[in-house]
């Protein structure tokens, strides 16, 4: 039996040494150590031995099993090292890696977040309203008569239902005041839609940020101070800002705000970034009617409102000369803001 065990061991070691892949190595393991393997069969023969011989043979069997097992393990390591080497054959591991470029927020998102953060610090809370709006909230409640050009079918995107894509975020003013009571201090960022000719400073879908402050003693100086403070904290103390008298049906007096745009390779020029004014008492009067109460009694409350173009804020901030760059998703352009 001793002879037999030695033969099995040397046969096994030879088979393991000859194995050239995982499969043949595993076959060898099964052939010698498996349930029906040769060493297992030899061990079964132990029961015919005398009790003196048993421990001696048992020891021999153990030694053989250990030798075979460790030979298999060594071979396994060698085979997997070989496989690793093969898998990188012909590849130059000293070449520098290809870096993945990191993502970043879109410039519009960045200015919007900036603007919101600044205005929230000044006490404005976020408000929201639908983009598919009723004519009432978009126009009537904002003192905009039926013959106003903004309501023209040709100038606005109407649905068959009579609703429309809001032409400005000012509708959120009405939706807020229908529910809240003064003091009201809100901002509402969101999309607005117009049938504008698209050019370097106009898009048909653009982004606005509406602001509204209503209380018992809000003055024009509050409007001017708030907006000047806001614009300086966005663009720096030397920002050139001008308020131009204008007309909006829902504010009186009304202004447009311009800022100097310094774009590379262009003469500095004023661009309009916002409309603003003191809430027209007619708007409060109409609210009293809708609400059926007098918390917005035009004799008791005053307020200011503004609507800013977020896309235009981005142009000012980075000196972007064409607004269309902001929606073209050209990575060469966007990468600069990541
Ligand atoms: N809604 C106006 C526009 O889109 C801007 C505006 C808002 C003007 C609030 C005055 C007050 O042009």
């Amino acid at each position: 039996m001793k002879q037999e065990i030695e033969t099995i061991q040397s046969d096994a070691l030879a088979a393991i040494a000859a194995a050239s892949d995982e499969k043949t190595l595993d076959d060898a393991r099964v052939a010698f150590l498996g349930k029906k393997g040769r060493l297992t069969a030899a061990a079964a023969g132990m029961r015919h031995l005398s009790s003196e011989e048993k421990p001696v043979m048992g020891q021999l069997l153990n030694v053989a099993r250990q030798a075979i097992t460790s030979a298999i393990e060594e071979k396994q390591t060698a085979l997997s090292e070989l496989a690793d080497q093969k898998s990188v054959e012909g590849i130059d591991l000293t070449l520098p890696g290809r870096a993945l470029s990191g993502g970043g927020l879109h410039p519009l998102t960045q200015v919007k977040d900036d603007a919101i953060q600044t205005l929230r610090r000044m006490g404005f809370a976020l408000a929201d309203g639908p983009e598919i709006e009723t004519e009432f909230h978009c126009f009537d409640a904002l003192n905009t008569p039926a013959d106003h050009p903004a309501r023209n079918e040709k100038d606005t995107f109407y649905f068959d239902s009579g609703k429309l894509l809001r032409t400005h975020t000012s509708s959120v003013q009405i939706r807020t005041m229908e529910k809240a009571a003064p003091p009201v201090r809100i901002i509402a960022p969101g999309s607005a839609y117009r049938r504008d000719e698209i050019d370097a400073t106009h898009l048909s879908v653009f982004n606005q940020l509406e602001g509204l402050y209503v209380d018992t003693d809000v003055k024009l100086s509050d409007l001017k101070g708030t907006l000047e403070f806001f614009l300086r904290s966005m663009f720096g103390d030397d920002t050139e800002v001008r308020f131009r008298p204008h007309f909006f049906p829902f504010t009186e007096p009304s202004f447009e705000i311009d800022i100097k745009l310094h774009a590379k390779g262009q003469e500095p020029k004023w661009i309009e970034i916002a409309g603003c004014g003191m809430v027209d008492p007619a708007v409060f009067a109409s609210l009293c009617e809708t609400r059926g109460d007098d918390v917005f009694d035009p004799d008791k409350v005053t307020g200011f409102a503004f609507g800013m173009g977020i896309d235009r804020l981005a142009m000012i901030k980075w000196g972007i000369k064409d607004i269309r760059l902001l929606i073209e998703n050209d990575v060469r352009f966007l990468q600069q803001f990541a």
Side-chain angles (χ1 to χ4, degrees):
M1 181 154 182
K2 183 166 181 256
Q3 181 71 44
E4 189 192 346
I5 296 174
E6 276 165 5
T7 316
I8 294 176
Q9 178 170 345
S10 67
D11 284 357
L13 295 183
I16 293 164
S20 56
D21 55 34
E22 298 261 350
K23 167 89 175 67
T24 39
L25 182 62
D26 199 53
D27 288 348
R29 185 187 60 76
V30 174
F32 291 95
L33 303 180
K35 255 192 215 151
K36 294 183 183 150
R38 279 170 64 188
L39 197 67
T40 322
M46 288 255 289
R47 62 198 148 92
H48 306 299
L49 296 179
S50 67
S51 47
E52 293 93 57
E53 276 177 318
K54 262 186 193 165
V56 183
M57 287 306 146
Q59 173 128 31
L60 268 181
L61 273 169
N62 273 342
V63 171
R65 178 172 287 275
Q66 260 163 26
I68 297 172
T69 310
S70 60
I72 290 177
E73 276 166 11
E74 268 168 42
K75 186 73 184 193
Q76 242 160 7
T77 317
L79 282 178
S80 80
E81 269 169 20
L82 199 69
D84 282 353
Q85 266 168 20
K86 276 217 177 115
S87 71
V88 293
E89 227 164 44
I91 298 174
D92 183 352
L93 292 176
T94 63
L95 280 177
R98 255 174 255 157
L100 280 180
S101 56
L105 290 178
H106 191 279
L108 280 178
T109 310
Q110 292 184 37
V111 258
K112 186 181 78 179
D113 288 353
D114 244 19
I116 293 174
Q117 206 175 38
T118 307
L119 287 159
R120 285 181 74 146
R121 246 186 274 133
M122 293 167 77
F124 289 89
L126 273 176
D128 202 4
E131 290 178 23
I132 297 176
E133 195 43 288
T134 62
E135 277 196 279
F136 176 78
H137 289 97
C138 205
F139 302 125
D140 300 275
L142 284 159
N143 196 34
T144 306
D147 60 357
H148 193 279
R151 298 183 65 149
N152 195 315
E153 294 261 342
K154 287 204 197 71
D155 291 333
T156 307
F157 298 102
Y158 281 92
F159 292 90
D160 290 342
S161 63
K163 286 191 177 176
L164 63 141
L165 289 176
R166 67 180 177 195
T167 54
H168 53 186
T169 44
S170 297
S171 49
V172 184
Q173 290 184 30
I174 303 303
R175 291 196 172 268
T176 306
M177 288 191 285
E178 279 175 352
K179 295 204 190 91
V184 171
R185 206 183 297 178
I186 55 116
I187 46 171
S191 306
Y193 304 82
R194 287 186 202 166
R195 279 196 199 232
D196 269 345
E197 283 290 327
I198 294 176
D199 62 23
T201 48
H202 293 86
L203 293 173
S204 54
V205 183
F206 60 107
N207 300 279
Q208 280 195 325
L209 191 145
E210 191 77 14
L212 172 72
Y213 176 31
V214 179
D215 207 340
T216 46
D217 194 20
V218 181
K219 300 192 197 71
L220 182 57
S221 50
D222 296 318
L223 162 65
K224 200 151 183 264
T226 303
L227 288 175
E228 277 178 355
F229 177 86
F230 168 74
L231 293 168
R232 279 198 219 109
S233 62
M234 286 288 286
F235 305 121
D237 285 345
D238 50 358
T239 311
E240 291 163 277
V241 183
R242 75 179 181 196
F243 285 70
R244 248 184 315 107
H246 195 74
F247 172 79
F248 295 105
F250 40 94
T251 46
E252 180 60 31
S254 306
F255 305 88
E256 276 191 337
I257 306 174
D258 302 334
I259 300 196
K260 267 274 177 71
L261 167 66
H262 296 268
K264 222 176 162 189
Q266 253 185 8
E267 282 292 298
K269 65 172 184 198
W270 291 106
I271 65 165
E272 180 223 322
I273 56 127
C276 65
M278 301 305 290
V279 178
D280 195 307
V283 172
F284 291 137
S286 134
L287 261 169
C288 289
E289 224 171 276
T290 324
R291 292 177 53 116
D293 63 21
D294 64 352
V295 295
F296 286 100
D297 182 345
D299 291 330
K300 294 200 189 106
V301 297
T302 52
F304 69 68
F306 58 86
M308 266 181 296
I310 298 177
D311 318 64
R312 303 263 180 98
L313 294 181
M315 293 174 77
I316 302 283
K317 180 166 170 124
W318 287 292
I320 298 168
K321 58 174 172 257
D322 196 321
I323 198 169
R324 289 168 285 199
L325 287 165
L326 289 168
I327 56 161
E328 280 166 357
N329 279 338
D330 186 332
V331 180
R332 289 167 302 178
F333 170 74
L334 295 175
Q335 255 166 1
Q336 305 171 77
F337 308 96

